[in-house]
């Protein structure tokens, strides 16, 4: 470039003859004339086009690359695999040439995506109370002494941009419904419509255009909270860009500065409080003031909050002969009267409710195990098996459900099983919880153990006094020392002969 600049200065400014410039530079006069005529400022080297063995296969390879781009990342063929396929078609060139072609094609495609393929968009504006956006993400947190992966629900009001982040262990229907309730509770109202992607918990099938087969349970939730559900086009995340940005911002606002928590409830409490703090600290961007100020102005436009949606998912189960049902690799006990019968399981985010014949049979705290390497757990309620041990009292000795009884019952059982018919007597004591308050029965058992009289009769006596309100503590009837006997009576049975008085009895 410096060399061309010197030639142009000599010829155009100093009016030096071309012959003299040729003598000084060693270039031919025709070359100098060509540079000056073309107005060349910097040299451009044109690589000569050379034929390649790949030229006859370039169209085929380009078609393969276009097809592979439409597949998922894990299903795409590598350049080495495509080279092997070209060899099968007769290509005898090197792999390096194929790899260079693939790199050049991907580079051109990437540059195109960064310009024209990115498309153009129209800025969106939302009226107060008009809409909210919802999305899921995956993040990690230290909960209960271990680092676990969480499914995080993000809900954001489109006008005020107030948001709520809530963590769950699963991304299921009941978790989705629970996330909506807590979001509406925090927002203190319900917007007119919700904007979603085509998540499987809401859409059963994506049809042509905007046609969607919406899940019936999800539709019931939208009807309960009275809002309209709108679904984006597939792979069009920009249609709910506000919540997509919220997912990205939450990683450095929340998850990277997050402390450890004893349980998920404490984590969600911290997330809710932290979101409220961020509302006050973050400017709205479009409206004056903070997100909190915009939310206060939007609240009157929200529909008043209704009662919470009964956010369960129902499944039909059949109770096993061992009075158990199976759910998510874990087993839960059911009262023995429903053994070998169908029941309905209502699945909530934190509990399981078993319903039969229109009535709630029992409840269990839900156990969610993320690791499939561990065996499933069995959750017993020993009260569910009382009807069985009443008929089979011998099962009480090694019955697995009765390992979880209160310690007072376990201690009484150890004493009872050493007596003849002690197992049946123990079953009768345990069965008292079916008709009396369990705490009263437990208190009576503890008092019987403390008194050193672990019998059914004594437990019943104490229980009746507790139920009737009779004082348990009796006054001290120990006689004073002045009334102590000085001479112990003799055991003389012959004294009773004097009572006969010489009268002859029939015996």
């Amino acid at each position: 470039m410096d060399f061309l600049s010197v030639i142009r200065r000599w010829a155009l400014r100093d009016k030096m003859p071309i012959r003299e410039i040729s003598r000084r530079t060693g270039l031919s006069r025709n070359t100098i004339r060509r540079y000056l005529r073309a107005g060349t400022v910097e040299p451009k080297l044109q690589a000569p086009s050379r034929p390649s063995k790949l030229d006859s296969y370039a169209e085929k390879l380009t078609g393969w690359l276009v097809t592979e781009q439409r597949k998922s990342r894990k299903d795409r063929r590598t350049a080495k695999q495509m080279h092997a396929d070209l060899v099968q078609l007769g290509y005898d060139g090197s792999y390096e040439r194929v790899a260079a072609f693939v790199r050049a094609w991907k580079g051109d495609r990437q540059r195109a995506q960064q310009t024209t393929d990115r498309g153009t968009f129209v800025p969106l504006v939302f009226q107060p109370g008009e809409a909210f956006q919802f999305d899921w993400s995956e993040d990690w947190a230290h909960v209960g002494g271990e680092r676990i992966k969480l499914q995080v629900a993000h809900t954001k009001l489109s006008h005020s941009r107030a948001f709520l982040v809530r963590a769950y262990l699963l991304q299921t229907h009941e978790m989705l419904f629970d996330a909506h309730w807590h979001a509406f509770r925090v927002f203190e109202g319900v917007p007119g419509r919700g904007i979603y992607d085509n998540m499987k918990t809401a859409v059963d099938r994506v049809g042509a255009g905007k046609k969607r087969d919406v899940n019936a349970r999800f539709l019931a939730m939208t009807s309960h909270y009275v809002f309209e559900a709108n679904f984006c086009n597939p792979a069009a995340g920009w249609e709910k860009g506000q919540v997509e940005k919220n997912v990205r911002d939450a990683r450095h606002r929340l998850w990277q500065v997050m402390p450890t928590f004893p349980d998920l409830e404490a984590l969600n409490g911290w997330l809710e409080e932290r979101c409220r703090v961020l509302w006050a600290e973050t400017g709205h961007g479009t409206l004056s003031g903070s997100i909190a100020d915009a939310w206060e102005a939007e609240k009157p436009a929200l529909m008043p909050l209704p009662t919470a949606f009964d956010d369960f998912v129902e499944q039909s189960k059949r109770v096993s002969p061992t009075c158990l049902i199976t759910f998510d690799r874990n087993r839960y006990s059911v009262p023995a009267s429903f053994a070998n019968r169908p029941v309905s399981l209502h699945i909530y985010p934190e509990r399981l409710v078993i319903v039969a014949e229109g009535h709630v049979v029992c409840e269990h705290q839900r156990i969610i195990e993320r690791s499939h390497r561990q065996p499933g757990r069995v959750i017993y309620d020993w009260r569910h098996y009382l009807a069985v041990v009443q008929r089979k009292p011998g099962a009480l000795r090694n019955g697995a459900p009765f390992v979880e009884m209160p310690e007072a019952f376990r201690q009484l059982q150890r004493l009872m099983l050493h007596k003849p018919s002690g197992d049946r007597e123990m079953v009768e004591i345990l069965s008292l919880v079916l008709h009396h308050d369990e705490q009263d029965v437990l208190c009576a058992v503890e008092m019987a153990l403390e008194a050193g009289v672990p019998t059914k009769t004594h437990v019943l006596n104490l229980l009746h006094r507790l139920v009737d309100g009779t004082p348990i503590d009796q006054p001290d009837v120990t006689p004073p020392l002045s009334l102590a006997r000085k001479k112990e009576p003799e055991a003389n049975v012959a004294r009773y002969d004097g009572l006969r008085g010489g009268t002859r009895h029939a015996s």
Side-chain angles (χ1 to χ4, degrees), residues 139-144 148 150 152 165-169 254-255 258-274:
D139 288 285
W140 295 78
H142 290 275
V143 179
I148 61 174
L150 298 170
V152 184
V165 178
R166 191 168 180 85
Y168 297 90
L169 292 175
L254 299 172
W255 302 102
M258 181 177 293
T260 59
F261 298 94
D263 52 36
L264 201 60
E265 183 178 358
L267 167 61
N268 283 322
W270 182 87
L271 285 172
E272 181 176 325
E273 185 62 29
R274 181 62 182 161

Side-chain angles (χ1 to χ4, degrees), residues 378 380-382 385 395-405 410:
V378 183
Y380 292 112
D381 186 339
W382 59 271
Y385 293 86
L396 182 64
R397 183 179 298 272
N398 298 111
F402 299 98
V403 175
E404 302 176 3
M405 289 191 303
R410 296 288 309 280

Side-chain angles (χ1 to χ4, degrees), residues 411-475:
Q411 185 178 351
L412 180 63
Q413 179 186 8
R414 287 192 291 268
L415 297 174
M416 284 287 192
L417 294 184
H418 291 292
K419 303 186 332 182
S421 302
D423 50 1
R424 185 172 296 278
E425 190 172 345
M426 182 64 198
V427 169
E428 293 175 355
I429 294 175
L430 292 177
S431 299
L432 294 174
V433 302
L434 300 176
H435 308 287
H436 301 278
D437 185 79
E438 183 178 334
Q439 290 301 318
D440 289 342
V441 179
L442 187 60
C443 182
V445 170
E446 290 174 347
M447 294 172 62
L449 292 172
E450 184 179 353
V453 191
T455 63
K456 171 190 170 184
T457 305
H458 193 56
V459 170
L460 280 172
N461 185 18
L462 293 172
L463 179 61
H464 290 158
R465 292 186 179 187
L466 286 172
V467 172
D468 297 338
T470 305
I472 301 297
D473 297 331
Q474 297 298 327

Side-chain angles (χ1 to χ4, degrees), residues 24 144 359:
R24 292 187 181 188
H359 300 284

Side-chain angles (χ1 to χ4, degrees), residues 5 20 48 61 134 157 187 239 256 261 293 347 368 404 430:
S5 179
E20 180 63 19
L61 183 55
F134 181 89
L157 292 176
F187 297 152
E239 295 184 8
Q256 294 179 3
F261 298 94
D293 298 331
I347 306 162
I368 300 178
E404 302 176 3
L430 292 177

